[in-house]
Amino acid sequence: MSATKSMLFYAIAIVMLRGTSFVMLPIVTAFVEAEQYGVLNLLSSFTSIAGVVLMFGLGEVVYRFASSVEESAQKRVFTWCFSVSVTGCTIAALSLWLLSDWLVPLFPLPVTTQQFCLIIINLGCASITTVPYAMWRLRGKAKRFCGVVVAHTFLQSALTIWLLHLGLGIDANLISGATASACCAAFLMWHYRDLLSIKSTFTVGQYWQYALSMMLSSSTMFFLQGIEQWIIAAHIGAVALASYFIAAQLGLAVSLSIEPFKMWWFARRHRSLSEPEINNPLFSVLGTELAGVAALFIMAVMPFMLVHLVPEEYLQALQWLPWICLITVLRQQSEFMNFGCFVKWRGSAPVAINCMSAAVMIVLALLWVEFWSLAGVLMAMVIANVVRVVLFLTISQYLLYQPYEFYRVLLMWVWLLLAFLASTHELFGLLVISILCHGISITLHYQHLLTPLIKKVTLRACSFYKQVQSHG
C-alpha cells in the first residue's frame, strides 16, 4: 500500500480513536461534576502508565527486529512478542486484582474497588492489542488496522453514551472501556491463536533485553507525563485536576493531528540504517515541524471552540492550553530526533535520559506547586521536557550522527514562542501572523514532497469525477 493510502487509513483510525475523546468531552462533562471528572482523570493517568508497562516495549521489538528480515524470521519475532504479551498481561492483571484492596487506598482521590477492577480489565485487554497493531503497521496493513480501531471506538463510545444516560457517572466510561477492550482482545487472540506459544517466551535473550529497556524507558515517562496529575490531585484538588485534564485533552489534538504521519514513519525509520535513501533526518525534522504547525493551530482555534463545548466551570482550562501545547511539541521533538538512542547501546540510553528528566520534573514540581499552584507544575514540566530534548539530541547525535536541518527547528520555535506570548496576552493578531509565517515556511521548504502528492491527489480526484460522470 502506498504511503498516501496508509496515512489516510491511519488518519481515519486516529480520528476515531482519539478524536472521539473531543466529541465525548461535552457529553461527559454534561453528566459528570468537576470533582468526579478529576477522579476519572486520575484513573486515566494510572491506566496510561500501567498500560505502558504492560506493553513490555513489544511494539518497538517488532519494529527493531522484524523490519528488514525474511518472512519466516518475522514470524518468529511475532510469535515471541504476541506470546509474551498475552502471558504477561494475564499474569499482571491477576496480580493487580489480588492486590486491589491494598492498592486502592493509595490513590489521592476517592476510588472504589469496583472502579479499580474495571481499570484492570481495560488495561490487560487493551495491552494485548499492541503486537497485532504493530504487525499491521510494519506490513502496511493500514486498512485492517483502521477497521479494528473504528469498531473498537464505536462500541466504546456507544456504550458510554447509553450508560451515561442511565446515570452511572464516570463508571459509564470505565464499563464501556473494559467491555470494548475485552471484545477486541478476544477477537485478536482468536485470529492469531497460531502465534501463541508459551515455550517461545523462554528464548531469544536479545528480544528480552531490548523489550525491557524500552519498557523501562516508557515507564519512566510516567514521571514526565502522568505524575503531575497525582501532584495536582494531592496538593491542589480534584477541581484543579479536572481543569488540567480538559487542557491536556485539547493539547492531545497536537499529537492527534500528526499521528498518521508518525504511525507511517516510525514503522519504517529503522530501515534507514540499511537504506539511507529513506532519509531519516528529513522526515524527523518534518515531523517536528508538523507538530509545531498543529500547536499553533490549536492555540488559535480551541479557545473559541471550548466556550461552546463544556460548562462554564471547566473554562479555566483555557489559560493552561498554551503551556500544554509547548510541552506537547517538546515531547514530539524528543520522539522524532532520538534515532541514535534507540539503535545503539541496545536501547538503554532512553532509560537514563527519561530518569534524569523525570528527576528534574518531580523536584521542581514539588517545590513550585506550593508557590504557583498549577502554573508551577506546568513550568516544571516545560523545563523537564527541554532537558529531555537536549539530552536525547546530544546523545543521539553522538551515537549515530544525523544531518538534521537544525535551523528549521529553531525557526519553528521562534514562531511557537511568539504564539505562546500572543495566547497568554490575548494578542490574536500576533498569533495569526505566527501561524501564517510558519505555514508558508513549511510549504516552500517541503514543496518537493508536496508537489508530487498534490498531483497524485488531483489526478485521482479527476479520475473519480470522470467515473461519476460516465455512470451518470
Side-chain angles (χ1 to χ4, degrees), residues 29 81 119 154 164 205 224 280 322 385 399 432-433 456:
T29 52
C81 289
I119 285 293
F154 180 79
L164 282 171
L224 285 166
N280 175 66
N385 278 280
L399 295 174
V432 172
I433 291 172
K456 194 173 183 179

Side-chain angles (χ1 to χ4, degrees), residues 273-311:
L273 291 171
S274 57
E275 303 173 43
E277 65 275 9
I278 290 178
N279 203 340
N280 175 66
L282 172 69
F283 287 104
S284 295
V285 173
L286 173 59
T288 303
E289 291 200 73
L290 290 176
V293 171
L296 289 170
F297 184 77
I298 297 303
M299 286 186 204
V301 173
M302 281 300 177
F304 297 100
M305 294 181 60
L306 191 64
V307 175
H308 304 288
L309 289 177
V310 300

Side-chain angles (χ1 to χ4, degrees), residues 164-205:
L164 282 171
H165 280 283
L166 293 180
L168 294 184
I170 62 172
D171 287 351
N173 296 69
L174 303 178
I175 293 170
S176 62
T179 303
S181 295
C183 291
C184 187
F187 166 74
L188 291 173
M189 287 175 65
W190 174 82
H191 187 72
Y192 288 109
R193 57 192 182 276
D194 60 315
L195 294 181
L196 290 173
S197 170
I198 303 299
K199 182 181 177 181
S200 68
T201 62
F202 297 100
T203 60
V204 197

Side-chain angles (χ1 to χ4, degrees), residues 64 67 72 86 89 103 137 168 416 422 426 471:
R64 177 69 181 87
S67 292
S72 60
V86 173
C89 288
L103 293 174
R137 288 165 62 183
L168 294 184
L416 267 178
E426 298 182 1
H471 286 296

Side-chain angles (χ1 to χ4, degrees), residues 60 64-65 206-220 270 338-356 388 391-392 395-396 399:
E60 289 294 334
R64 177 69 181 87
F65 294 102
Q206 63 174 335
Y207 297 170
W208 272 116
Q209 187 172 17
Y210 192 81
L212 291 174
S213 294
M214 293 300 100
M215 185 183 73
L216 287 172
S217 173
S218 300
S219 300
T220 53
H270 281 284
N338 63 3
F339 192 43
C341 291
F342 281 84
V343 298
K344 300 292 184 178
W345 290 354
R346 297 180 179 178
S348 59
V351 179
I353 292 172
N354 286 339
C355 284
M356 286 186 279
R388 186 168 179 259
L391 288 174
F392 260 123
I395 297 174
S396 183
L399 295 174

Side-chain angles (χ1 to χ4, degrees), residues 63 137 262-270 335-336:
Y63 302 143
R137 288 165 62 183
K262 283 178 68 177
M263 296 181 77
W264 169 78
W265 172 240
F266 276 33
R268 287 160 176 75
R269 69 172 182 168
H270 281 284
E335 292 179 17
F336 277 110

